[in-house]
């Protein structure tokens, strides 16, 4: 039968009785159950916040010193980090003396922000670093440069494309403020450029292949222009650091024999012993790296990796080869910018190749480079030569890209002349009979530009080409008069041209003197035009232009 309400109530009473009952204590005496309020209170004091700043202490507009601003760089809020960077910029600008005592803390606190996920934080940190490096002494920066170089390499190879793009701005800052220190770490930084435009192939296909920026806001062409532009600047600093353009003779020591028939002159000191050797007080950190670096072999590896990438980069944007040589190849403006950077990189590589060949002649790196890449260079660049472009008429804000080179010449004269120059240096032993068309095509373009009244920068490229052609070492270009006869006569004619600038006349005069002093170029001395210049040489040296001008008419008639 179901349980009734009375039965449930009885069971409830039974369970309540079975519970343990607590006996209550006696009531407290009267007056003792009152809350006491006679406790003591101490003030909470944060000394750092209430500490007064000194009258001469460097403070920002928000009355914060350097340590307080550095502590806010690690704040989770983006706005606070940005405000701290603004404050550091104010302090460094108004009180440069803070760098004497806080340089290490500033570099260690600001440099990691170049890897920050927020764009505004990265850009502000680069501005502060530029200001810091511009006001600090390079000797004091040296102990902390490894920190900046490490973060630079991390940014260049970062998985985030935006951080990679801003790493180029970081490199620009270092190239402007600390060019020698960046050049010293050449072998550490140069491989990262390859990672920015290419990736390793699979194991079955060794080497590298170009990458495509599918998730980026800029095209692959513009991205490669940016990377190659910084690579050009970096190689240029490495060339300056090694004083490559100053070396006119071989670096290796030569043996001289004593000649009893004439006076013998010998230097009192060996040049390699009297050169300035700068030893840093922090050089002990490299004591573990006792293994010498073979620069020639390392550079050979870089070149063998980079040159095919440069050819592939141009192959992607270059139009098909024209069947007729007289037709100019029209390329886009982005392709023209890419062509400019590629040619500049190849030209700097060639300068470094010559330097390492002089430094270590047994490596034979110059001859191997010419033999390996001259055919590829001919196929990719010379076959479609010359190039022109169409410059867009819309206004562009140049201030947003101060490190970029803009194309201003639609005829691309400088780039086309650089193509001619590289073709000449890569083919010193050119086959005159088999490559007669290529030779005439190159020389005809040089003659065409040489006859025009061009700017000084174009004239510099032309003079560089002429000095390369009429070098001390006679090659197949100058072995006979048949190849260079027409261009040689144009050079002499240009010297007597009234419209020619004085600067270019001086350059031509230096070239003609170089030819006259070279006995190996005796066949050029028999040229009628050259003899006419030689007859007028006394009047030229004496500055009697009237007599020279009288002979111009006879010279042009002949």
């Amino acid at each position: 039968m179901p349980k009734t309400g009375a039965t449930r109530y009885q069971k409830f009473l039974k369970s309540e009785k079975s519970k343990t009952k607590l006996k209550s204590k006696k009531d407290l005496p009267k007056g003792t159950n009152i809350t006491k309020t006679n406790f003591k209170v101490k003030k909470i004091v944060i000394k750092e916040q209430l500490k007064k700043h000194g009258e001469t202490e460097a403070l920002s507009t928000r009355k914060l010193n350097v340590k307080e601003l550095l502590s806010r760089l690690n704040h989770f809020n983006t706005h606070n980090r940005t405000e701290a960077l603004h404050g550091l910029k104010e302090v460094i600008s108004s009180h440069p003396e803070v760098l004497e005592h806080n340089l290490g803390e500033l570099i260690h606190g600001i440099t990691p922000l170049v890897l920050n996920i927020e764009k505004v934080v990265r850009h502000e940190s680069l501005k502060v670093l530029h200001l810091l490096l511009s006001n600090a002494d390079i000797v004091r920066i040296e102990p902390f440069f490894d920190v900046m170089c490490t973060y630079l390499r991390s940014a260049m190879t970062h998985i985030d494309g935006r951080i990679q793009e801003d790493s180029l701005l970081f490199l620009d800052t270092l190239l402007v403020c600390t060019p020698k220190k960046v050049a010293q770490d050449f072998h550490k930084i140069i491989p990262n450029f390859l990672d920015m435009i290419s990736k390793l192939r699979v194991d079955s296909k060794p080497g590298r292949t170009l990458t495509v920026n599918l998730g980026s806001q800029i095209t692959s062409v513009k991205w490669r222009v940016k990377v190659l532009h910084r690579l050009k600047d970096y190689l240029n600093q490495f060339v300056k650091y090694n004083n490559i353009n100053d070396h006119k003779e071989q670096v290796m020591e030569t043996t001289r024999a004593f000649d009893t028939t004439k006076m013998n002159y010998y230097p009192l000191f060996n040049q390699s012993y009297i050169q300035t050797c700068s030893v840093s007080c922090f050089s002990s950190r490299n004591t573990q790296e006792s293994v010498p670096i073979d620069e020639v072999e390392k550079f050979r590896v870089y070149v063998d990796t980079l040159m095919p990438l440069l050819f592939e980069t141009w192959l992607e944007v270059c139009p098909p080869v024209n069947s007729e040589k007289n037709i100019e190849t029209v390329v886009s403006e982005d392709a023209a910018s890419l062509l400019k950077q590629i040619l500049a990189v190849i030209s700097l590589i060639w300068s470094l190749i010559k330097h390492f060949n002089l430094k270590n002649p047994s490596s034979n790196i110059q001859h191997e480079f010419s033999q390996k890449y001259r055919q590829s260079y001919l196929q990719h660049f010379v076959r479609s030569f010359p190039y022109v472009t169409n410059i867009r008429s819309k206004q562009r804000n140049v201030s947003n890209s101060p490190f970029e080179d803009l194309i201003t010449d639609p005829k691309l004269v400088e780039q086309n002349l650089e193509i001619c120059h590289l073709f000449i240096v890569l083919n010193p032993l050119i086959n005159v009979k088999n490559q007669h068309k290529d030779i005439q095509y190159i020389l005809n373009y040089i003659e065409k530009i040489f006859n025009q009244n061009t700017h000084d920068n174009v004239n510099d490229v032309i003079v560089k080409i002429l000095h390369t052609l009429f070098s001390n070492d006679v090659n197949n270009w100058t072995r006979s008069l048949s190849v260079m006869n027409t261009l040689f006569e144009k050079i002499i004619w240009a010297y007597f041209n009234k419209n020619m600038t004085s600067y270019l006349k001086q350059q031509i005069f230096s070239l003609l003197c170089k030819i006259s002093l070279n006995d190996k170029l005796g066949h050029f001395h028999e040229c009628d035009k050259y003899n006419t210049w030689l007859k007028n040489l006394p009047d030229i040296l004496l500055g009697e232009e009237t007599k020279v001008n009288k002979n111009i008419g006879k010279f042009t008639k002949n």
Side-chain angles (χ1 to χ4, degrees):
M1 294 178 64
K3 296 180 180 180
T4 62
T7 306
R8 288 197 300 271
Y9 180 69
Q10 290 176 359
K11 287 188 175 181
F12 172 74
L13 292 177
K14 188 177 181 179
S15 63
E16 288 294 325
K17 290 181 181 180
S18 63
K19 290 182 179 179
T20 304
K21 294 180 174 57
L22 299 176
K23 295 182 179 180
S24 61
K25 295 182 180 179
K26 297 181 179 180
D27 296 335
L28 292 174
K30 187 177 181 180
T32 59
N33 59 346
I34 302 173
T35 304
K36 295 182 179 180
T37 58
N38 57 352
F39 52 83
K40 296 181 180 180
V41 178
K42 288 186 178 181
K43 295 181 180 179
I44 301 175
V45 179
I46 303 177
K47 297 182 180 180
E48 294 297 328
Q49 291 183 358
L50 298 180
K51 183 179 180 181
K52 294 183 179 180
H53 299 291
E55 296 180 357
T56 59
E57 189 175 3
L59 301 176
S60 64
T61 55
R62 293 181 176 271
K63 305 302 179 181
L64 298 174
N65 58 16
V66 175
K67 292 184 178 180
E68 293 170 346
L69 292 171
L70 287 175
S71 64
R72 297 193 177 193
L73 293 180
N74 298 323
H75 200 276
F76 68 92
N77 191 292
T78 302
H79 179 72
N80 288 345
R81 292 197 297 269
T82 308
E83 288 295 327
L85 290 171
H86 283 300
L88 288 174
K89 193 192 307 181
E90 295 174 359
V91 172
I92 296 174
S93 301
S94 57
H95 303 279
E97 63 274 6
V98 298
L99 299 178
E100 297 181 4
H101 306 287
N102 304 285
L103 182 61
E105 296 177 359
L106 288 170
I107 292 178
H108 283 87
I110 300 171
T111 309
L113 296 180
V114 299
L115 301 178
N116 196 275
I117 194 64
E118 298 293 339
K119 179 179 179 180
V120 63
V121 177
R122 295 195 303 269
H123 286 192
E124 288 299 324
S125 64
L126 291 176
K127 292 178 182 179
V128 179
L129 279 176
H130 185 275
L131 182 63
L132 184 148
L133 297 176
S134 301
N135 290 278
D137 191 2
I138 187 64
V139 178
R140 297 179 58 83
I141 297 175
E142 185 176 358
F144 312 105
F145 187 79
D146 281 346
V147 176
M148 294 186 288
C149 184
T150 302
Y151 280 104
L152 171 65
R153 294 159 58 193
S154 300
M156 295 176 71
T157 57
H158 203 275
I159 192 172
D160 193 339
R162 297 169 298 177
I163 297 178
Q164 280 193 17
E165 187 174 353
D166 289 339
S167 69
L168 300 178
L169 301 177
F170 188 20
L171 179 62
D172 290 335
T173 302
L174 296 179
L175 287 174
V176 172
C177 301
T178 58
K180 292 184 178 180
K181 297 301 300 179
V182 180
Q184 287 178 359
D185 290 343
F186 177 79
H187 297 288
K188 295 180 181 179
I189 299 176
I190 196 67
N192 298 314
F193 282 102
L194 303 177
D195 295 332
M196 298 181 79
I197 60 174
S198 64
K199 63 181 180 180
L200 293 172
R201 297 180 185 270
V202 295
D203 296 337
S204 59
K205 295 181 179 180
R208 285 181 171 267
T209 180
L210 293 174
T211 54
V212 181
N213 295 351
L214 296 177
S216 178
Q217 296 180 356
I218 60 176
T219 61
S220 298
V221 177
K222 291 183 178 180
W223 169 245
R224 288 164 190 165
V225 169
K226 287 187 175 184
V227 176
L228 293 178
H229 176 74
R230 270 60 176 204
L231 178 59
K232 177 200 68 176
D233 292 342
Y234 188 48
L235 290 175
N236 192 24
Q237 289 296 338
F238 188 65
V239 167
K240 292 179 180 179
Y241 173 75
N242 289 278
N243 297 323
I244 291 176
N245 295 328
D246 297 337
H247 292 302
K248 302 299 181 182
E249 299 178 355
Q250 289 190 357
V251 181
M252 61 177 297
E253 183 179 359
T254 57
T255 304
R256 297 177 58 184
F258 183 79
D259 190 357
T260 57
T261 59
K262 61 180 181 180
M263 187 69 68
N264 294 269
Y265 296 95
Y266 297 94
L268 185 61
F269 300 101
N270 192 333
Q271 293 295 325
S272 60
Y273 297 154
I274 63 176
Q275 292 179 353
T276 304
C277 180
S278 58
V279 179
S280 172
C281 59
F282 303 100
S283 59
S284 59
R285 59 186 174 84
N286 293 328
T287 53
Q288 296 179 356
E289 301 177 3
S290 58
V291 180
I293 299 176
D294 191 350
E295 290 187 343
V296 178
E297 292 301 322
K298 276 186 169 293
F299 191 74
R300 195 197 303 269
V301 174
Y302 300 149
V303 170
D304 291 341
T305 306
L306 183 58
M307 288 300 293
L309 293 177
L310 295 177
F311 292 145
E312 291 180 17
T313 301
W314 178 243
L315 184 62
E316 284 187 350
V317 298
C318 181
V321 179
N322 295 325
S323 59
E324 299 182 8
K325 282 284 187 178
N326 296 326
I327 300 178
E328 296 175 336
T329 303
V330 181
V331 297
S332 63
E333 191 174 4
D334 292 338
S337 300
L338 188 62
L339 176 65
K340 180 179 181 179
Q341 305 304 332
I342 290 175
L343 293 176
V345 170
I346 296 177
S347 180
L348 290 169
I349 288 175
W350 175 253
S351 300
L352 292 169
I353 288 289
K354 291 194 299 182
H355 167 70
F356 287 122
N357 192 74
L358 289 174
K359 194 173 182 180
N360 189 5
S362 61
S363 63
N364 201 23
I365 187 173
Q366 183 173 344
H367 178 72
E368 292 180 1
F369 180 81
S370 300
Q371 293 295 322
K372 191 171 185 178
Y373 299 110
R374 60 185 180 87
Q375 191 63 34
S376 298
Y377 180 82
L378 174 67
Q379 179 181 356
H380 290 88
F381 292 97
V382 182
R383 295 299 185 191
S384 302
F385 167 87
Y387 300 97
V388 294
T389 186
N390 295 321
I391 299 178
R392 294 190 293 267
S393 59
K394 65 178 182 179
Q395 296 293 330
R396 289 173 297 182
N397 191 0
V398 183
S399 61
N400 290 337
S401 56
F403 295 97
E404 300 295 337
D405 293 334
L406 300 178
I407 298 296
T408 58
D409 182 16
K411 293 294 184 181
L412 302 178
V413 176
E414 291 186 55
Q415 287 71 42
N416 290 323
L417 287 174
E418 191 62 37
I419 291 175
C420 298
H421 179 251
L422 291 174
F423 178 76
I424 292 170
V425 299
L426 290 176
N427 294 273
L429 304 177
I430 192 170
N431 193 322
V432 179
K433 184 180 294 185
N434 295 338
Q435 293 185 268
H436 178 72
K437 292 183 179 180
D438 295 329
I439 293 174
Q440 290 301 317
Y441 195 50
I442 293 294
L443 295 179
N444 289 339
Y445 184 83
I446 297 174
E447 294 174 13
K448 174 185 174 183
I449 302 301
F450 189 74
N451 291 333
Q452 299 174 358
N453 190 6
T454 55
H455 300 287
D456 290 340
N457 52 355
V458 176
N459 292 331
D460 291 338
V461 181
I462 294 176
V463 171
K464 181 177 68 172
I465 294 174
L466 295 177
H467 277 283
T468 303
L469 286 170
F470 296 98
S471 60
N472 295 329
D473 298 330
V474 178
N475 49 33
N476 287 1
W477 294 86
T478 57
R479 196 172 300 279
S480 63
L481 193 61
S482 59
V483 179
M484 299 295 301
N485 185 28
T486 305
L487 181 59
F488 184 62
E489 291 181 354
K490 292 287 180 62
I491 295 171
I492 302 174
W493 176 87
Y495 186 81
F496 291 102
N497 187 3
K498 295 181 181 180
N499 298 327
M500 197 64 63
T501 61
S502 59
Y503 171 76
L504 185 57
K505 280 189 176 182
Q506 293 176 359
Q507 298 296 325
I508 296 175
F509 181 79
S510 175
L511 177 67
L512 293 175
C513 292
K514 178 181 178 180
I515 295 173
S516 62
L517 295 175
N518 193 349
D519 296 334
K520 298 178 181 179
L521 300 176
H523 45 283
F524 287 96
H525 301 168
E526 300 174 357
C527 180
D528 296 336
K529 308 295 183 182
Y530 176 80
N531 290 327
T532 304
W533 174 81
L534 201 60
K535 290 178 181 179
N536 289 275
L537 186 59
D539 296 331
I540 294 172
L541 296 175
L542 294 174
E544 298 179 359
E545 297 182 359
T546 56
K547 294 182 179 180
V548 177
N549 293 332
K550 290 180 181 179
N551 296 327
I552 292 178
K554 299 178 181 179
F555 175 75
T556 54
K557 289 180 181 179
N558 295 330

